[in-house]
Amino acid sequence: GMSTPILATKLYVPPVRSNFIPRPRLIEQLNSGLQGKLTLVSAAAGFGKTTVVSEWIASVQHPVAWLALDEADSDPTRFLTYFVAALQTVVPTLGERALVELQSPQPPSTETVLTTLINEIAQLPNKLLLVLDDYHRITSPAVDTALTFFIQHLPQQLHLVIATREDPPLPLSRLRVRQQLSELRVADLRFTLAEATEFLNQTMGLTLSATDVAALEHGTEGWIAGLQLAALSMQGRTDTAGFIETFTGSHHFILDYLIEEVLQRQAPEMRSFLLQTSILERLSGDLCDAVTHSSASSATLETLERENLFVVPLDDARQWYRYHHLFGDVLQARLQAEQPESVSTLHSRASVWYEANGERITAIGHAFAANDIEQAATLSELSWREMDRTYQNATSMRWFRKLPEAELRCRPMLSIAYAWALLAEGELEQAEQWIQNAEAWLAPDANQAGMKVADATEFARLPASIASARTYMTIAFGDIEGTINYAQTALALLPEDDYFERAIPTALLGLAYWHTGDLDGTHQAFSEVGHYFLQTEYASQAIGIGFIGAIIRVTQGRLRDALQENAQHLSLSQALDGPPGRGTADLYVSLSDLHREQGDLAAAQAHLDTAKALGESAQLPGNAHLWYIAAARLASSNQDYAQAQAWLDEAARLQIRDPIPDIRPIATLKAEAAVRQGDLNAALQWVAASGLAVDDPIHYLGEFNYLTLARTRIAAYQAQHNEAEMTATLDLLARLLGAAEDGGRIGSAIEIRVQQALAYAAIQNVEAALETLQTALTLAEPEGYQRTFLDEGAPVVALLKQLKPADKTQKAYIQTLLRAVDDPQPAVNATLVEPLTERELEVLQLISQGLSNREISERLYLALDTIKGHNRKIFGKLQVQRRTEAVAQARALGLL
């Protein structure tokens, strides 16, 4: 499957033992901290951290989620996946969108995933607790950073509890100062004399005098594990007083001495079982049988629990256990001291069992522990593609870096796997070395005698994997010709039904075509990518293809086709289960700009609002800046140029480099807005900084830059009247027009002709200006263009008023444009024939936030069919056909 497998035992809330020692003073202290954000229980091993937290949460009135952490959870994706899974044990629907984001082919940033989760938690009606047990096992700064962000923005609906052996690198001082932190430490957790008495004489079944208890309590300093070990050592003894009299020393001494005492008192079979199974994080009958080569492990585990011998159940059925970490650590040390030669064998047996039972990641860990490099490499090779698709790159990188270089080099599949992992980390130069190593094994003269291959089917795909990696490399380095060649090679090598793998080079090929100006090729490539994704479990990834397709259609002057593509892909988003897929917000941004161009500024704003409400989690990676660009263009259409510049500043701050062609650079958009605002100096400064010249060669990616250069020179001519410069400007526009028409970029051609008309008008050649504008209108009318003309202001309006077309259609079109000048926003009847009910308004509000019908039904505790019925009534009253239209109409009517 595409998701990270979840071990239910990690989410099990440890039960309170029937013979536990009540500790009301600690419970009161923990309860008092619930008003803050974080409770920290920090103490060395053996002080009863997990036990006291279990006792506490059994008494609180709030639901509790539990996550027992281990070293593997240092992978950020795995950590966040388990983090959400723990919360879902309390609220099953919580975090569904976050999980979709984590499992998407292009996961967003950790902060984005957490923001989505935080927003959902903030909507919960009641408080819940989340316990992170054994946080000291996390070794990843990335996870620490993620948890810091989460705590900083934690809503009051969630209280976080962390149990750990050492203080985590979190902003504890800041939380402490703000009274957002409650703490239990060693001084709090030590057993008092009264608690030690009850524990020793009732729980452990001894009959010690007050003096003896006081001596033990003093010797252990209230250390619970020490008291338990002492009690186990005394069970069955007749001379308990003599034992207590000799009992002294540090924790380290006590531990060594008492573990030895406890182990020596066990039957040989039990002692052997304890030592051999100490290598395991989790214990079950079948697993322990496999490791110990015995057949009675289930009964042995039950005995250990019954005798209080440091085992903790991990499920209600008592199928899975773990050793108390302190006890397990000491057992492992004893095993290493007494039977070092057996450690590798035991880990190897565990690795075999886990592999046979479908837990390959754990199997790989045991293979490494056994120093079985062959097994670790083989299992890593068999796992890498699934790990890559489920975005567990950090774990894969740890494996690759543990393996000897010689082992990686003799395995071509591991070489290409390592290369892909490095590409995902942006380490292109290192990736190149491992691609070359994989290629070397396929050379005609290669000696494959020393080559190792775990899966012959995967090896047969190696040439395609190499070609795909090369495609990624070449476009990253700007080699467009190389990108096209490698992409075509990869596609020729990949089977027609290998949909996911074909999507990767096809998308990169589409980007390469886009760089060259081959828009039909680009559109065809991304249509194929969408088709491929729809054939896989990654169907939601097809949503974002509509956004790219719409950009291409707009450049081609096909606004209506762009609207249709957006609508089709929004329908796909709404049809898929779960939250809106990545790319849904981008579709609304695209819709906004299309409606702006067609003169419906209210709908344009409504779509921007919807995109913003959906949030970054519904955007394609790297597209956050596009919302601000669309907002700036809308502000400019509303003649709010100061706001337009402010939005563009924000867009520039958010923009990151990616392979998608930057056909309208933000700096150029700012220059365009400056000209419209009348700030010629700012536009001329951009010209000077850009280094552009009117006689430069024309290429597709520079088209908007040169069009803006022409726009600036026209404005400059009106101030300076330099005839030679205007002649050069008209020549530049003519070359731009020829290139646009040759490339089928009718949308560009319309924009260029408008600037040509303005240039002719500036030099008083009214006849040429009107003729040029007439041609632009002929191209624009079927698609409903408005703002390309009207945003140029009074000069274009003056020309429109002079046009006297014979064609009725064009005459009506010009009248529509001129009416829009006087009334830029169509009047909307703010009174509905049948008003919306309170419940319908509530449903409409949730629709505007991008929630699916299922999410709305869960939020309002209504049946799914009931929500669908409300939708039908809302659409009928607003006289619309779909959700996006309903939101736009509602905003126009002031209902949202």
Side-chain angles (χ1 to χ4, degrees), residues 396-473:
S396 296
M397 287 293 282
R398 284 201 299 274
W399 295 343
F400 296 141
R401 286 170 173 159
K402 280 184 179 180
L403 290 169
E405 184 172 323
E407 190 68 28
L408 287 168
R409 289 199 176 279
C410 71
R411 292 177 178 266
M413 293 311 302
L414 275 185
S415 291
I416 197 64
Y418 193 18
W420 273 111
L422 289 164
L423 288 174
E425 297 287 326
E427 299 180 24
L428 303 182
E429 288 75 17
Q430 289 190 52
E432 171 66 25
Q433 298 175 21
W434 291 100
I435 293 174
Q436 289 179 9
N437 188 71
E439 288 172 329
W441 287 106
L442 299 179
D445 58 348
N447 180 2
Q448 297 185 342
M451 183 177 72
K452 298 180 182 179
V453 173
D455 186 333
T457 302
E458 278 292 325
F459 182 67
R461 300 168 69 184
L462 179 59
S465 295
I466 291 173
S468 289
R470 283 276 178 219
T471 307
Y472 189 104
M473 286 282 290

Side-chain angles (χ1 to χ4, degrees), residues 514-579:
W514 200 350
H515 277 274
T516 66
D518 181 359
L519 302 186
D520 284 331
T522 303
H523 193 274
Q524 176 62 29
F526 278 102
S527 294
E528 290 178 13
V529 172
H531 169 74
Y532 290 144
F533 280 135
L534 288 173
Q535 312 307 310
T536 72
E537 64 263 58
Y538 300 91
S540 64
Q541 301 310 310
I543 295 169
I545 305 305
F547 162 72
I548 294 176
I551 293 176
I552 300 304
R553 291 308 189 214
V554 168
T555 307
Q556 293 175 323
R558 298 163 62 176
L559 302 187
R560 300 190 190 283
D561 285 347
L563 284 165
Q564 184 178 6
E565 291 213 16
N566 271 333
Q568 289 172 346
H569 286 80
L570 278 174
S571 296
L572 170 62
S573 176
Q574 292 163 3
L576 294 173
D577 291 334

